[in-house]
């Protein structure tokens, strides 16, 4: 083949590859919507005994271009549309058209799915269309489903012209009582039960257009059995009685993302948290926890108000649901918490993260999937800020260490900008977008300084409240306020992956007025640029200097009055970096993750990596022992627990729990006297970490019996 033809063919194939990429198609689809949804009017009856919903949704929208002949709405795959028509042309009562067969091609709806690990693509399921009912009613509209993509397509009889408004009505119903066919794979986010029901907008329990992209107002009339209370975002109207049922009405007057609710025989308890009116929806067994929860919420809201600006709403509602869904879920002006997350001791980290979404998911929406850092990274860093406010500098450093470990688990899987391609809420997604994303914000704060950072955040909220924003928008604000070109920073931490491995050497000299320490900081990324702290510990006050590290080697020089004793690089964890300590912690954390996923062999391999780095790592040996214990490999487990006892005993709780677990092994093997000896050793430690003393005393009174897999002791 001639050379010029080869070049042409290669160029053509590359062009087609880009054009046909699924993400490229989705981007075009999302960038140019055909309609703008303006308002939702939903009438829904919940039938808890049958786990059913019967509803009618009216979606008012405006065409954004000429010739709009259909609309694709997001719609839960468990629900079935019965009729579709325009509100100004209602059909004859009882007249229906059969739905067309379910589509088998992608609708490009950008509906997120949850997977704890990558799942094989399910083959599309095509259902046969029911036989059509003969009807001359031309007001009925044809519709079709794509259950895999959770979409409903409605075809219009006459195309709409640009700026033409219309109200589409969809009558539908179905059963919602499990995680089957959930938009978040494996997670129940829509459930109608007699004890408690909840319908998150995330579940697409009513036909909606571009969730978290297209803001709209809404009015929701929810009919429930008498005595059941409805908690929902929006302003509540007076309750109506309809026979033996109650009708609750909620109105969202501001364009947002409405439609999340919970129902149960709740107590609605109004409180004040800081400057925000909060209503708790709880059952009787949770009433006594309201005070502690309100106090924590007040501290969070006060801090966020100071750092980000006023709470974006008139009030906040908090509803407690069951333990079968997410631990926490945020909706505009509303928070849902699992029963186990609402206790006498508030889960401060969970509350801080979920409340932060009121700013970073609903007040400001990421413009494109590539901008998800503005949601996930900001929400998780907000929770870190709260921890800093209550635990001080030392506590904050510990939190940063834990965040660094989580960030390094899957840092190599994606850049922050491209992390939208990872499975939503998967370990990889959480590691890159949430953990690394929050650490990057802390590094940005270090680069530009506290005053400039928080000033930039407030200006970002002011400029983009109730709008969409991009990473570039936030970068521009930071550059303007700090008077710095931050291209290098965003390129290094947002557009690329990889973290430096900082090493250093130094020499100490006696100087005229004390001492002088000179040295070199080395790292392994050629294009790296970041300020790094070097701390010289002396027999007096330590000296800390900020060094601009550029490229593989950067010199430093620090003058001290006291005699230098040692040097530490980045003592306060202001740079996300590799080190032997963090590699060990990351290997153990990855092993824990694999154990939770049911892969003990791979988990043990990760724990072994930690031991290769630190042959006295008690925690790594302990985790190996737990994994073998769960597989009933008792001899190997016992040997590993003994190795843990002979190691560095870091953390301290390992000692007491090694003795308890050795006792359990002896009990299972019928060696009661040896078991009692280990339980007594556990008692003698006087360590009550995770209730160890009560467990030991229980086993002294009664022999342990194998209980299957147990949650890892932390």
């Amino acid at each position: 083949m001639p050379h010029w033809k080869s070049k042409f063919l290669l160029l053509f194939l590359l062009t087609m590859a880009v054009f046909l990429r699924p993400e490229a198609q989705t981007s075009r689809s999302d960038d140019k919507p055909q309609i703008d949804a303006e308002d939702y009017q939903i009438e829904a009856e919940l039938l808890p005994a049958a786990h059913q919903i019967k509803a009618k949704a009216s979606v008012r929208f405006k065409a954004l271009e000429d010739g709009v002949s259909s609309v694709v709405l997001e719609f839960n795959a468990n629900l079935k549309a019965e009729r579709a028509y325009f509100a100004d042309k209602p059909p004859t009562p009882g007249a229906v058209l059969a739905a067309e067969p379910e589509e088998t091609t992608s609708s490009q709806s950008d509906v997120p799915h949850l997977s704890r690990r990558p799942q094989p693509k399910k083959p599309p399921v095509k259902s046969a269309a029911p036989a059509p009912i003969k009807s001359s009613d031309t007001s009925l509209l044809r519709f079709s489903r794509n259950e895999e993509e959770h979409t409903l397509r409605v075809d219009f009889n006459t195309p709409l012209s640009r700026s033409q408004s219309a109200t589409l009505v969809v009558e539908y119903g179905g059963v919602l009582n499990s995680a089957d066919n959930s938009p978040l794979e494996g997670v129940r986010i829509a459930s109608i039960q007699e004890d408690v029901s909840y319908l998150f907008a995330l579940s697409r329990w009513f036909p909606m257009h571009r969730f978290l992209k297209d803001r709209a107002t809404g009015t929701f009339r929810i009919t429930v059995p008498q005595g059941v209370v409805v908690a929902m975002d929006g302003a509540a109207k007076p309750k109506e009685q309809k026979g033996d049922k109650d009708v609750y009405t909620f109105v969202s007057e501001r364009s947002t993302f409405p439609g999340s609710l919970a129902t149960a025989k709740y107590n609605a308890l109004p409180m004040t948290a800081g400057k925000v009116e909060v209503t708790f929806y709880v059952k009787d067994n949770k009433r006594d926890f309201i005070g502690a929860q309100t106090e924590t919420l007040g501290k969070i809201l006060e801090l966020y108000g100071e750092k980000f600006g006023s709470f974006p709403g008139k009030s906040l509602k908090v509803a407690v649901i069951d333990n079968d869904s997410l631990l926490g879920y945020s909706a505009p002006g509303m928070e849902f918490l699992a029963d186990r997350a609402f206790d006498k001791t508030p889960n401060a980290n969970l509350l801080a993260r979920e409340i932060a979404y009121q700013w970073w998911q609903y007040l400001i929406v990421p413009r494109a999937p590539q901008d998800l850092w503005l949601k996930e990274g900001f929400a998780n860093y907000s929770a870190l800020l709260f921890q800093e406010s209550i635990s001080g500098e030392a506590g904050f450093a510990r939190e940063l260490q834990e965040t660094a470990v989580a960030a390094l688990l899957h840092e190599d899987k994606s850049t922050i900008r491209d992390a939208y391609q990872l499975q939503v809420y998967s370990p990889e997604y959480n590691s890159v977008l949430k953990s690394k994303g929050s650490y990057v914000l802390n590094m940005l704060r270090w680069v530009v300084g506290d005053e400039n950072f928080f000033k930039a955040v407030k200006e970002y909220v002011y400029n983009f409240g109730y709008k969409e924003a991009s990473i570039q928008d936030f970068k521009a604000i930071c550059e303007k306020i700090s008077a710095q070109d931050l291209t290098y920073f965003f390129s290094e931490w947002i557009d690329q992956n990889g973290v430096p491995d900082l090493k250093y050497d130094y020499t100490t000299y006696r100087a005229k007025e004390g001492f002088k320490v000179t040295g070199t900081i080395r790292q392994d990324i050629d294009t790296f640029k970041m300020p790094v702290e070097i701390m010289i510990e002396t027999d007096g006050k330590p000296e800390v200097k900020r060094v601009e590290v550029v490229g593989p080697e950067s010199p430093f020089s620090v003058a001290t009055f006291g005699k230098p004793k040692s040097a530490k690089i980045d003592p306060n964890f202001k740079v996300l970096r590799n080190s032997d300590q963090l590699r060990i912690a990351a290997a153990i954390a990855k092993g824990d993750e694999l154990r939770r996923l049911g892969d003990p062999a791979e988990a043990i391999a990760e724990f072994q990596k930690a031991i290769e780095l630190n042959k006295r790592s008690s925690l790594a040996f302990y985790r190996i022992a737990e994994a073998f214990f769960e597989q009933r490999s008792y001899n190997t487990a016992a040997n590993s627990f003994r190795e843990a006892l002979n190691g560095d005993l870091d953390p301290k709780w390992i000692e007491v729990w090694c003795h308890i677990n050795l006792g359990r092994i002896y009990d299972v093997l019928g060696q009661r006297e040896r078991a009692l000896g280990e339980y007594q050793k556990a008692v003698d430690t006087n360590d009550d970490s995770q209730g160890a003393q009560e467990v030991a005393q229980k086993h002294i009174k009664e022999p342990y019996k194998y209980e299957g897999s147990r949650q890892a002791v932390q």
Side-chain angles (χ1 to χ4, degrees):
M1 182 184 293
H3 183 63
W4 69 269
K5 287 186 177 181
S6 298
K7 280 190 170 182
F8 176 81
L9 179 59
L10 178 61
L11 179 61
F12 173 78
L13 290 174
L14 288 172
T15 303
M16 290 303 294
V18 172
F19 179 75
L20 294 174
R21 278 202 330 261
E23 60 267 29
Q25 295 179 29
T26 300
S27 177
R28 289 197 308 276
S29 174
D30 288 345
D31 288 344
K32 293 184 178 179
Q34 291 185 308
I35 70 164
D36 173 27
E38 298 175 327
D39 182 73
Y40 297 102
Q41 299 281 324
I42 311 296
E43 297 180 18
E45 181 177 0
L46 306 190
L47 305 168
H51 314 298
Q52 288 184 335
I53 182 174
K54 293 182 178 179
K56 180 172 76 172
S58 299
V59 185
R60 192 182 76 231
F61 65 90
K62 180 171 63 177
L64 298 179
E65 56 186 50
D66 287 324
V68 176
S69 59
S70 65
V71 63
V72 175
L73 301 173
E74 296 175 20
F75 190 50
N76 192 293
N78 293 299
L79 300 174
K80 300 297 182 184
E82 297 164 359
R83 301 201 303 176
Y85 52 89
F86 285 118
D88 60 347
K89 296 180 180 179
T92 304
V96 295
L97 291 174
E100 295 178 1
E102 279 77 2
E103 298 176 14
T104 59
T105 57
S106 172
S107 65
Q108 305 165 8
S109 62
D110 194 28
V111 179
H113 289 260
L114 175 62
S115 176
R116 296 303 172 189
R117 34 184 25 195
Q119 300 291 326
K121 194 73 172 177
K122 295 179 181 178
V125 178
K126 181 182 288 188
S127 302
I133 296 177
K134 294 181 180 180
S135 173
S136 59
D137 198 328
T138 59
S139 60
L140 288 169
L141 304 177
R142 284 282 179 187
F143 56 87
S144 58
R145 298 293 311 279
N146 185 323
E147 292 189 1
E148 185 180 345
E149 294 293 330
H150 296 270
T151 59
L152 171 71
R153 170 177 169 151
V154 181
D155 296 314
F156 307 151
N157 295 331
T158 304
L160 304 179
S161 57
R162 182 190 294 270
S163 299
Q164 184 176 348
S165 293
T167 299
L168 176 66
V169 180
V170 178
E171 297 174 7
Y172 65 97
V175 174
L176 297 170
N177 71 337
S178 74
D180 294 344
N181 297 320
S182 171
L184 287 185
E185 188 175 330
V187 179
R188 185 183 295 187
I189 52 177
S191 178
I192 301 176
Q193 310 286 340
E194 292 188 86
D195 182 46
V196 61
S197 300
Y198 43 90
L199 302 172
F200 301 160
L202 179 65
S203 72
R204 284 75 167 170
W205 67 269
F206 62 94
M208 62 177 64
H209 185 244
R210 302 176 80 228
F211 179 59
L212 290 185
K213 294 295 288 183
D214 193 357
R215 296 179 186 266
T217 56
T219 299
F220 294 79
R221 287 175 54 82
I222 310 298
T223 301
V224 292
Q226 204 165 45
V228 171
V229 175
V230 180
M232 189 172 192
D233 53 25
K237 300 299 180 182
K239 181 179 67 175
E240 305 168 42
Q241 190 170 340
K242 188 178 179 182
D244 61 348
K245 299 173 182 177
D246 290 333
V247 181
Y248 289 80
T249 302
F250 299 87
V251 179
S252 294
E253 297 176 346
R254 182 190 289 274
S255 288
T256 180
F257 308 106
S260 295
L261 65 91
T263 75
K265 292 185 177 180
Y266 284 131
N267 300 292
L269 304 175
M271 302 290 286
T272 301
K275 298 179 181 179
V276 179
E277 297 300 317
V278 180
T279 302
F280 290 92
Y281 291 84
V282 298
K283 295 182 181 179
D284 290 340
N285 64 327
K286 297 291 183 178
R287 293 178 69 111
D288 293 342
F289 307 150
I290 297 296
Q293 297 285 337
T294 302
E295 182 180 358
T296 300
L297 274 176
K299 292 177 181 177
I300 293 169
L301 291 167
E302 182 179 2
L303 176 71
Y304 290 178
E306 174 192 338
K307 300 296 186 184
F308 315 145
S310 301
F311 178 73
K314 296 179 180 178
S315 62
L316 178 66
K317 299 173 184 177
V318 179
V320 178
I321 58 173
D322 59 29
N323 289 322
D324 296 329
S325 184
L326 299 168
L327 194 61
Y329 176 73
S330 179
M334 190 162 186
E335 299 293 336
F336 299 84
L337 297 174
D339 185 83
R340 67 184 186 277
F342 196 90
D343 210 335
K344 60 183 178 181
T345 303
N347 187 331
N349 187 61
L350 173 69
L351 285 173
R353 185 178 68 249
E354 293 300 323
I355 293 295
Y357 285 123
Q358 299 293 332
W359 280 266
W360 311 128
Q361 178 168 257
Y362 299 117
L363 181 64
I364 302 175
V365 177
R367 181 169 296 144
Q370 293 88 342
D371 300 312
L372 275 175
W373 175 59
L374 299 175
K375 167 192 169 185
E376 302 291 13
F378 278 52
N380 279 265
Y381 188 59
S382 300
L384 276 176
L385 289 175
F386 180 68
Q387 289 298 328
E388 181 183 28
S389 73
I390 62 175
S391 59
E393 186 175 343
F396 186 53
R398 287 193 298 271
E399 291 290 334
L400 282 175
Q401 272 187 287
E402 292 182 11
T403 304
V405 171
L408 293 174
L409 282 182
H410 300 286
E411 193 275 338
D412 60 332
K413 296 295 192 299
S414 173
T415 67
I416 285 177
R417 195 180 292 276
D418 290 336
Y420 70 94
Q421 299 179 74
L422 301 171
Q423 291 288 331
V424 176
Y425 300 161
S426 65
E428 295 81 6
Y429 179 97
N430 291 340
S431 174
V432 175
L433 268 177
K434 296 185 176 184
S435 298
K436 183 180 178 182
S438 59
Y439 213 109
V440 168
L441 280 166
N442 193 65
M443 289 191 290
L444 180 62
R445 175 182 170 187
W446 158 239
V447 168
V448 302
D450 276 23
E451 183 178 352
N452 286 335
F453 177 78
F454 289 112
K455 186 177 179 181
V457 169
K458 274 194 173 181
E459 184 164 325
Y460 171 60
V461 171
Y462 181 82
N463 288 355
F464 292 96
Y466 303 102
K467 298 177 184 177
E468 295 181 355
S470 68
I471 292 174
Q472 186 61 33
D473 294 326
F474 179 66
K475 173 177 177 284
I477 291 173
C478 291
E479 289 182 326
K480 183 189 75 171
I481 289 175
S482 68
Q484 296 184 46
D485 182 353
L486 296 171
T487 300
Y488 78 91
F489 181 90
F490 282 78
S491 174
E492 176 70 38
W493 297 109
I494 302 296
D495 299 329
Q496 302 177 60
N497 57 356
V499 298
D501 191 346
L502 298 174
K503 300 183 183 300
Y504 62 100
D505 54 50
Y506 65 94
T507 304
T508 301
Y509 299 94
R510 185 175 292 278
K512 188 174 182 180
E513 296 182 355
F515 299 86
K516 188 175 183 180
V517 177
T518 63
T520 303
I521 296 176
R522 295 182 173 84
Q523 57 80 39
D524 52 349
I525 300 177
D526 183 64
T527 58
F528 184 79
K529 176 183 176 182
M530 272 290 287
V532 176
E533 277 186 337
I534 189 84
M535 182 175 76
I536 308 299
E537 293 182 316
T538 71
D539 52 12
K541 184 179 178 181
E543 294 287 342
V544 179
K545 184 169 183 178
R546 178 174 172 139
V547 179
E548 290 295 328
V549 174
V550 180
E553 295 187 0
S554 299
F556 66 87
S557 178
V558 183
T560 69
F561 180 76
K563 184 179 180 180
K565 297 165 62 178
S566 64
K568 287 185 179 179
I569 194 167
D570 189 31
N572 295 310
F573 301 95
K574 292 183 176 177
V575 179
L576 181 60
R577 56 188 171 85
N578 260 318
S579 67
D580 285 346
Q581 179 186 2
L582 288 174
R583 287 189 186 94
I584 293 168
I588 293 173
K590 186 172 286 188
D592 289 341
E593 181 182 282
L594 289 165
R595 273 186 64 203
R596 290 193 296 270
L597 292 169
D599 196 342
E602 288 297 321
I604 290 170
E606 289 296 331
F607 298 140
Q608 291 287 3
K609 290 180 184 178
I611 292 171
E612 289 172 10
L613 292 166
N614 176 10
K615 298 189 183 302
R616 300 190 69 249
S617 173
S618 289
L619 183 57
F621 279 114
Y622 184 89
R623 292 303 193 219
I624 287 176
E626 283 188 315
F628 281 120
F629 185 93
E630 289 175 1
Q631 297 176 74
R632 304 195 186 193
S633 297
Y634 297 125
N635 185 58
T636 308
N639 288 336
S640 295
F641 281 128
R642 293 189 192 98
E643 290 282 4
L645 284 170
N646 293 327
D648 57 17
L649 293 181
D650 182 22
K652 185 178 180 297
W653 57 257
I654 283 177
E655 181 180 6
V656 64
W657 279 98
C658 277
H659 288 304
I660 288 174
N661 282 304
L662 282 168
R664 285 169 166 170
I665 290 172
Y666 293 137
D667 263 340
V668 170
L669 297 177
Q671 301 176 30
R672 182 61 176 161
E673 290 302 316
R674 297 183 74 183
L676 288 171
E678 293 297 336
Y679 297 142
Q680 188 58 51
K681 289 177 183 177
V683 172
D684 292 343
T685 66
N686 292 317
D687 188 335
D688 195 32
S689 299
Q690 290 86 43
Q693 293 301 310
E694 182 181 350
V695 173
Q697 292 291 353
K698 175 185 174 182
H699 293 335
I700 287 174
K701 294 177 182 177
E702 185 177 345
Y704 169 80
K705 293 182 180 179
Y706 180 74
E707 301 170 347
S709 298
R710 293 167 288 114
Q711 185 175 2
V713 177
Q714 301 294 335

